Amino acid sequence: MDDGGVREVFSVGLVKEYAYCPLYAWHRLHSKLAEGVEPTPSMEEGKKVELPRIADALNLPHPRLYEHCLVDEELGLRGCPDIVAGERRRVVVEVKRYPRDARRLGHFMAQARAYAVLVERVLGGVEHYVLVVGERVLTRKLLERDLREVEALVARLRRLSASPQPPAPLVDGRCFYCDYRRFCPALPTAHARRAGLVVV
């Protein structure tokens, strides 16, 4: 049977990882090491977030879905947004329990945007998406350009998945916390040494 038309379906989590570091996403797609990566303490703590309490605090409309999984095979995206609230005028919420540096929220916002696009394409009616990071609440209106940005990210992931060669690295302080720092081809570079990054 010819399955040439079957498209790979990526998780919204992988979209977030790509926005954080394309090389990290490449490792997740290509490395068998990914199978042994343990959840971080912040991931484990994040599971303890009381989503209904947050929905009440944000005064979100009803009905509410919590961690309801959706798949859009045409786009090639799947995921389980933390909160989808409302029916005709939906709000999609991604929650991060702990505060983060405001300069380091780009990949989380990419995740929230991807969830909003997924919900819009599968259920429809999304007006806003919200990123909750600790006490900070960032609200964005879902625009046509958001849909285009997410489509472009998924297309980049598709190319990344098909490529046996890793992408150019982003080498900075985040490398200290990377699951792949011992194996990453980026770290032995002179740039990494100048940045004070050491392969442990």
Side-chain angles (χ1 to χ4, degrees):
M1 181 173 127
D2 180 16
D3 62 353
V6 176
R7 306 184 90 189
E8 191 169 2
V9 177
F10 301 103
S11 71
V12 169
L14 193 61
V15 169
K16 177 195 73 172
E17 303 301 358
Y18 182 89
Y20 184 72
C21 174
L23 187 53
Y24 185 89
W26 183 87
H27 279 300
R28 298 288 293 179
L29 285 164
H30 291 276
S31 176
K32 291 185 179 173
L33 301 167
E35 297 165 9
V37 172
E38 297 293 325
T40 64
S42 62
M43 287 177 182
E44 291 296 335
E45 285 297 312
K47 294 176 184 175
K48 301 175 186 175
V49 169
E50 296 176 27
L51 296 175
R53 183 182 60 78
I54 290 172
D56 288 341
L58 295 174
N59 197 28
L60 295 177
H62 291 272
R64 296 168 178 170
L65 299 172
Y66 300 104
E67 298 179 317
H68 180 73
C69 296
L70 302 167
V71 179
D72 179 353
E73 292 185 0
E74 182 183 358
L75 176 60
L77 196 61
R78 62 181 165 79
C80 310
D82 287 332
I83 306 170
V84 178
E87 198 163 22
R88 290 191 179 88
R89 302 171 66 180
R90 289 189 170 94
V91 180
V92 179
V93 183
E94 173 62 17
V95 179
K96 304 299 178 188
R97 182 170 183 177
Y98 295 111
R100 309 289 173 113
D101 187 324
R103 296 167 296 177
R104 297 282 189 178
L105 297 181
H107 61 301
F108 293 136
M109 190 56 79
Q111 182 181 22
R113 182 184 302 113
Y115 277 132
V117 168
L118 178 61
V119 174
E120 171 62 24
R121 287 179 57 98
V122 175
L123 301 177
V126 174
E127 284 207 338
H128 293 90
Y129 58 98
V130 178
L131 174 62
V132 178
V133 186
E135 299 300 314
R136 182 190 295 259
V137 178
L138 303 169
T139 301
R140 301 287 184 269
K141 185 173 178 60
L142 184 65
L143 303 172
E144 183 67 23
R145 72 171 180 244
D146 294 313
L147 277 71
R148 301 288 82 84
E149 285 178 19
V150 172
E151 288 172 356
L153 271 172
V154 173
R156 286 184 210 133
L157 276 175
R158 193 162 283 115
R159 290 193 295 272
L160 197 72
S161 180
S163 173
Q165 295 301 317
L170 299 173
V171 181
D172 61 20
R174 76 189 76 185
C175 299
F176 282 119
Y177 307 101
C178 182
D179 297 314
Y180 303 106
R181 66 187 177 276
R182 298 180 187 193
F183 317 99
C184 183
L187 289 179
T189 66
H191 183 187
R193 288 194 293 274
R194 282 196 303 275
L197 301 172
V198 179
V199 181
V200 190

